[in-house]
Amino acid sequence: MMDTLPTAFVQQLRTLLPTEWEALVKALEGTSPASVHLHPHKFPQFTGATEPEAEVPWNPLGRYLAQRPVFTLDPAFHAGAYYVQEASSMLIAAAFRQLFPEQRPLRVLDLCAAPGGKSTLLASHLPPGSWLLANEVIRTRYQVLKYNLVKWGYGNTFTSNHDVTDFAPLAGYFDVVLVDAPCSGEGLFRKDVAARAEWSPEHVAHCAARQGRILAAAQELVAPNGVLLYSTCTYNATENDANAATLAEQTGWSVAPLAFPAAWELEERSIGYQAYPHRLRGEGFYLAAFRKEVGEARMTKAPKSFKKLTRISSKLSAQVQPWLAQPERLDIWATPSGRWRTLAADLRSDAQLLAQHLSRLEVGTPLGEWKGKGLVPAAEWALALDSTTEIATVDVNRAQALALLRKQTPDLPELGKGWHVVRYRGLQLGWVKGLGNRYNNYYPTAWRIRMQ
């Protein structure tokens, strides 16, 4: 049967955990806990579809939920107020805080980033002046990644759609490289019983070889005194310990120790740390950290322009300043198709260097298009943290919000003429334009809720 644990997998557990394998098997037959991490600015306290039951011990922004709601029918979810993320994988945040306590600006690369849980998590913990590039090689998964980062709304997150080998010109450039590698998914057997049918010792070996290739290329990208974080959602030593040992041996880097409290019930492996669902409230997850203590200096020379972006004149930029929360720190750029994007001035040099070497890269936040004498705002701008709070708003209840998110036009009697940003519980959702006796709903068709 599909939901039966493979015999070879159970035997593997017996070798890995001689005195605890039965407890782990029992845990895998139980119910997965529901958890989210909160957006630090959009929703300091979770008041969404269900109330939190407890805080995730290793992430102050993480919450366990008493029950798993239908997230699709919670407008706060579409506003980016929280991200639905498995609790064990939030250990990335705890490791990041320990490894960089000095709060210096960082260049961060999430190399295998889709669907975006760890990218949004890291974005919430970046020191001032930092930026994060979230990359995904598979095109369909890349689109999901982009949408999730759009909802998170940070202007210092970029996205790219590249294979790891395409990053070779950026050797020694990133202070942090996260490789959350594609794996055999043993840690998800409780959440996704279909994954059990796909498991085999041969698949484990295939995953381990692919992870090794990714790590070999990824380690070249780390700057001196930088860190490589390696994680999987699996248990076996082939994908975890062995790959970590090979990386340490090949690079000569030091394994970065992490002071995780004993109360968290993590197992310290030969290299790295393992989360088991029979010990803690979360799924299977492995994490190891390596610090590059020596090496060549990072690249610093950047081109003075973008290949595909053109700077908007100061005269035109002045006309859209009312749409920006902090216009003095943002530059306005146009794509070849005429769409405008904002980019923080202090990130321009790094963004231009990335764009020089990565052809499928997006930097900045879509602002809109200038048509006639005014701006037609982008859907992304409603969700951006750089969007001003001075724009005309219309507040809606849950029923109205869900109708608008389905791209319908519920009655909004207080709506005046012109552009308005729709808000639900103070959270921005999208744009409508009042036309007098009616209005147009500009929520993107591709984003609309299809569930009834």
Side-chain angles (χ1 to χ4, degrees):
M1 293 178 62
M2 182 185 299
D3 60 353
T4 301
L5 290 171
T7 301
F9 171 71
V10 175
Q11 183 57 49
Q12 175 184 280
L13 292 185
R14 294 174 68 118
T15 302
L16 191 65
L17 296 169
T19 62
E20 297 181 52
W21 69 271
E22 290 178 302
L24 177 52
V25 168
K26 183 178 179 180
L28 293 179
E29 302 304 332
T31 302
S32 238
S35 54
V36 301
H37 71 253
L38 309 181
H39 195 296
H41 302 292
K42 290 190 177 185
F43 234 149
Q45 294 188 350
F46 184 71
T47 55
T50 186
E51 293 302 313
E53 182 182 15
E55 181 178 302
V56 175
W58 40 88
N59 181 19
L61 296 172
R63 298 291 185 275
Y64 293 108
L65 306 183
Q67 58 185 356
R68 188 176 187 88
V70 181
F71 293 109
T72 302
L73 298 182
D74 181 12
F77 171 71
H78 298 275
Y82 59 91
Y83 189 99
V84 183
Q85 185 178 31
E86 196 283 305
S88 294
S89 64
M90 297 183 202
L91 285 162
I92 291 288
F96 184 80
R97 291 194 304 271
Q98 286 189 40
L99 293 166
F100 295 97
E102 70 276 21
Q103 291 289 291
R104 64 183 173 93
L106 299 170
R107 296 164 168 166
V108 181
L109 171 62
D110 186 353
L111 196 53
C112 313
K118 296 177 183 67
S119 288
T120 54
L121 184 71
L122 286 173
S124 299
H125 291 85
L126 289 180
S130 304
W131 53 262
L132 178 144
L133 171 57
N135 177 74
E136 173 58 43
V137 64
I138 300 173
R139 184 66 184 177
T140 52
R141 287 171 57 81
Y142 174 63
Q143 297 302 327
V144 176
L145 171 67
K146 280 206 307 180
Y147 173 60
N148 283 326
L149 283 173
V150 161
K151 290 196 296 181
W152 216 240
Y154 281 86
N156 63 341
T157 57
F158 312 146
T159 61
S160 63
N161 174 217
H162 281 271
D163 184 80
V164 61
T165 55
D166 296 339
F167 285 83
L170 295 163
Y173 189 62
F174 298 94
D175 301 297
V176 183
V177 176
L178 169 62
V179 179
D180 183 50
C183 69
S184 59
E186 297 167 354
L188 303 179
F189 279 3
R190 179 165 61 173
K191 289 180 63 177
D192 181 10
V193 294
R196 304 178 182 191
E198 300 172 4
W199 186 93
S200 70
E202 294 75 21
H203 184 52
V204 168
H206 171 76
C207 289
R210 178 173 55 187
Q211 292 154 358
R213 289 192 296 271
I214 294 173
L215 287 170
Q219 59 95 6
E220 298 288 346
L221 308 178
V222 181
N225 200 37
V227 167
L228 188 148
L229 288 167
Y230 175 54
S231 64
T232 73
C233 55
T234 200
Y235 305 113
N236 69 78
T238 305
E239 295 180 74
N240 297 343
D241 308 60
N243 269 332
T246 300
L247 178 65
E249 180 180 349
Q250 290 178 345
T251 61
W253 298 355
S254 62
V255 177
L258 298 169
F260 292 144
W264 294 358
E265 293 285 349
L266 296 169
E267 178 182 271
E268 187 169 357
R269 303 276 277 258
S270 57
I271 296 178
Y273 303 83
Q274 182 75 50
Y276 290 110
H278 69 290
R279 292 189 182 181
L280 52 75
R281 196 173 175 188
E283 303 299 342
F285 187 72
Y286 171 81
L287 173 64
F290 305 85
R291 189 175 293 278
K292 180 181 181 180
E293 296 172 337
V294 296
E296 296 182 6
R298 67 176 66 176
M299 299 173 59
T300 55
K301 187 177 180 180
K304 296 182 179 180
S305 62
F306 286 103
K307 291 181 179 180
K308 298 180 181 180
L309 296 177
T310 305
R311 184 80 174 269
I312 295 297
S313 69
S314 56
K315 181 178 179 180
L316 271 180
S317 294
Q319 297 190 55
V320 298
Q321 285 193 4
W323 295 82
L324 316 180
Q326 294 180 293
E328 70 282 356
R329 56 175 289 273
L330 297 175
D331 294 332
I332 312 296
W333 300 81
T335 68
S337 63
R339 297 184 177 182
W340 290 15
R341 305 179 74 90
T342 65
L343 178 66
D346 61 349
L347 302 182
R348 182 178 64 194
S349 179
D350 281 312
Q352 287 173 335
L353 183 57
L354 292 173
Q356 183 182 34
H357 299 292
L358 302 173
S359 60
R360 295 182 299 280
L361 169 80
E362 293 190 35
V363 298
T365 305
L367 174 63
E369 294 183 71
W370 190 265
K371 293 187 176 181
K373 297 182 179 180
L375 182 74
V376 177
E380 294 90 339
W381 194 245
L383 299 169
L385 296 180
D386 287 325
S387 176
T388 181
T389 56
E390 300 302 318
I391 300 171
T393 61
V394 54
D395 291 293
V396 298
N397 58 34
R398 182 174 180 273
Q400 291 170 318
L402 289 174
L404 288 163
L405 292 169
R406 292 186 174 107
K407 204 163 173 59
Q408 299 168 359
T409 52
D411 189 28
L412 300 175
E414 303 300 321
L415 186 68
K417 288 186 177 181
W419 290 104
H420 293 69
V421 64
V422 176
R423 297 191 310 184
Y424 169 76
R425 293 186 176 180
L427 298 166
Q428 298 188 174
L429 292 173
W431 300 104
V432 294
K433 187 175 185 181
L435 303 172
N437 59 350
R438 62 184 180 87
Y439 70 92
N440 289 335
N441 180 357
Y442 278 76
Y443 198 72
T445 301
W447 295 0
R448 69 182 178 90
I449 296 176
R450 291 170 172 79
M451 178 183 290
Q452 298 302 314

